[in-house]
């Protein structure tokens, strides 16, 4: 599974730059493998991202802004949903990845499985 993060290398918006840096820094801190895909320099990346963000997740103008996050072809979300997952300690679930062994999320998941088995 490859996490794809669509970014704009030459965005004029400091807000977008800050959001992109936040996503990338957090993924790196968690040691999550990801592929950054630039939509500013690569028209194919931009077209793919725009085409694959679900209609209900697109803004009113219809053009999703970076960062947009996918697990392979599966849409995970934009910065706001990433931020919410980060706040809820559910980034692995947001990304569609199993939590690594020894992590709090892994321990929580095992606890839930044990409760279901009882």
């Amino acid at each position: 599974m490859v996490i794809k993060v669509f970014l704009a290398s030459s965005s004029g918006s400091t807000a977008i730059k800050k959001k992109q840096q936040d996503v990338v820094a957090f993924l790196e801190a968690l040691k999550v493998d990801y592929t950054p895909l630039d939509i500013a320099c690569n028209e194919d990346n931009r077209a793919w991202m725009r085409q694959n963000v679900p209609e209900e997740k697109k803004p009113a103008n219809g053009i999703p802004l970076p960062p947009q996050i996918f697990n392979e072809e599966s849409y995970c979300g934009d910065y706001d949903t990433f931020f919410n997952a980060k706040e809820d300690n559910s980034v692995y679930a947001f990304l569609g990845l199993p939590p690594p062994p020894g992590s709090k999320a892994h321990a929580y998941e095992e606890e839930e499985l044990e409760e279901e088995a009882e």
Side-chain angles (χ1 to χ4, degrees), residues 35-73:
T35 302
L37 298 165
D38 190 0
I39 65 167
C41 299
N42 187 314
E43 185 58 41
D44 291 339
N45 287 344
R46 182 181 347 196
W48 192 93
M49 180 195 82
R50 289 181 176 176
Q51 188 175 19
N52 288 281
V53 170
E55 279 304 314
E56 67 274 8
K57 301 293 184 177
K58 290 182 180 177
N61 69 3
I63 300 172
L65 298 173
Q68 296 291 332
I69 305 161
F70 290 80
N71 182 332
E72 295 288 347
E73 314 298 310

Side-chain angles (χ1 to χ4, degrees), residues 4-15:
K4 299 176 183 176
V5 181
F6 288 85
L7 309 165
S9 61
S10 60
S11 174
S13 166
T14 54

Side-chain angles (χ1 to χ4, degrees), residues 105-116:
H106 186 264
Y108 179 73
E109 192 176 87
E110 283 185 342
E111 192 175 291
E112 280 190 339
L113 290 173
E114 287 174 10
E115 287 176 5
E116 287 175 13

Side-chain angles (χ1 to χ4, degrees), residues 13-27:
S13 166
T14 54
I16 287 175
K17 286 179 186 177
K18 197 172 183 181
K19 289 176 180 180
Q20 292 177 158
Q21 289 170 342
D22 187 29
V23 169
V24 167
F26 198 76
L27 293 177

